[in-house]
Amino acid sequence: MKLSQSFEDYLEAIYVLEISKQKIKSVTISKMLDVSKPAVTKAMKELFDAKYIEKTPYSPIKLTKSGREIAKNVYHRHTVIRDFLINTLGVDSNIAEKDCCMIEHIISPETLRAMENLNK
């Protein structure tokens, strides 16, 4: 399954909630991504079917090993780009946050490495 930008965003949101030790529920993801609860429910079913998450009724959502790998990669791209925009280019943090959410899905590995090297 080739993940769309939207599915990468869902996995990244679950990962961010996971590392911040929050309970991962559809309503929390809905608020975090500013999408409807039915949209989250549909996405969670597709991510479950693709074996990127584990979910049983009335229990928190959990990433599988493969889902966590993808989520960590997206989150890494996000943080590298955000830090580059803020620390290297001097972009306002609110603007940098919005911009990196779009850039993280299309950036080449070479450009990401160059940003990482400049941030060191």
Side-chain angles (χ1 to χ4, degrees):
M1 171 183 187
K2 169 77 172 106
L3 286 177
S4 67
Q5 175 179 335
S6 174
F7 285 126
E8 284 187 349
D9 287 341
Y10 282 111
L11 291 173
E12 181 184 21
I14 294 167
Y15 181 72
V16 168
L17 292 168
E18 181 181 90
I19 62 176
S20 65
K21 307 289 187 214
Q22 293 186 46
K23 233 181 205 173
I24 305 166
K25 298 180 176 182
S26 293
V27 67
T28 313
I29 297 167
S30 171
K31 289 177 184 172
M32 185 176 185
L33 295 177
D34 195 27
V35 296
S36 70
K37 182 138 177 348
V40 174
T41 301
K42 182 177 186 264
M44 293 305 107
K45 180 181 179 344
E46 292 183 43
L47 290 171
F48 176 83
D49 291 345
K51 303 198 182 338
Y52 291 125
I53 64 165
E54 297 173 355
K55 174 77 175 108
T56 56
Y58 308 106
S59 68
I61 298 164
K62 296 180 182 177
L63 292 167
T64 62
K65 183 178 178 184
S66 60
R68 186 170 292 102
E69 285 177 27
I70 293 166
K72 282 174 74 171
N73 185 282
V74 175
Y75 184 69
H76 174 74
R77 292 190 315 251
H78 182 104
T79 57
V80 168
I81 295 164
R82 183 195 60 221
D83 292 349
F84 175 80
L85 293 173
I86 294 168
N87 300 330
T88 305
L89 300 181
V91 175
D92 175 79
S93 61
N94 291 325
I95 294 170
E97 189 64 41
K98 290 176 187 172
D99 288 349
C100 75
C101 285
M102 293 181 283
I103 297 168
E104 71 190 16
H105 301 287
I106 59 170
I107 193 166
S108 70
E110 295 79 14
T111 302
L112 186 68
R113 268 193 301 281
M115 286 179 170
E116 286 175 308
N117 291 335
L118 281 174
N119 280 339
K120 289 182 182 177

